[in-house]
Amino acid sequence: MSHASEVVTPGQEITVKVLRVDEQPERIALGLKQLMPDPWLTVQARYEVGQVRLGRVTRLAEFGAFVELEPGIEALAHASTFAPTGRPGGWARTVSVA
C-alpha cells in the first residue's frame, strides 16, 4: 500500500468519497481508492496460468512471499515454488522485500 505522500501532494485538489463521519473525535474519513475501478473485475482477462510476470515482493511469511503484480492485485508465491536451498526457510534469503 502506498503512503499518501506518494499519491497526492499538499494543495492538490482531488475528488474523494466520504467513508465515515465521526462526531467524536470530530473526524471525517475519506477514500480515494473507492473511486477507482476494482482491478479484480478484469483480472481473468489480464492473467493466465503459466504466465511469467514481474512483481514487487511486499512481505514474507513462513509459507511464502506476497507479490504485488499491480496496484490492488497481490498474490502469493508459495515457499514450495522457490528453488531448494537445502535449509529450512532458506528460500526467504533469496528474496528481498521492496
Side-chain angles (χ1 to χ4, degrees):
M1 176 170 264
S2 300
H3 187 271
S5 64
E6 297 174 5
V7 180
V8 295
T9 58
Q12 179 181 357
E13 290 191 20
I14 60 173
T15 302
V16 295
K17 181 176 182 176
V18 176
L19 302 176
R20 185 177 60 256
V21 176
D22 294 327
E23 292 182 26
Q24 291 298 326
E26 296 181 337
R27 291 188 183 157
I28 299 174
L30 304 174
L32 183 60
K33 180 174 68 173
Q34 289 75 8
L35 298 176
M36 307 295 280
D38 182 354
W40 284 96
L41 294 178
T42 56
V43 75
Q44 287 188 329
R46 293 188 315 276
Y47 298 96
E48 296 177 17
V49 173
Q51 273 185 328
V52 176
R53 301 293 294 242
L54 289 177
R56 182 177 63 89
V57 176
T58 58
R59 66 186 188 277
L60 298 177
E62 184 178 321
F63 49 84
F66 289 91
V67 180
E68 180 184 55
L69 298 174
E70 63 181 82
I73 302 292
E74 191 172 77
L76 173 67
H78 193 270
S80 65
T81 64
F82 290 89
T85 63
R87 295 188 306 210
W91 67 270
R93 293 181 189 93
T94 67
V95 296
S96 59
V97 178

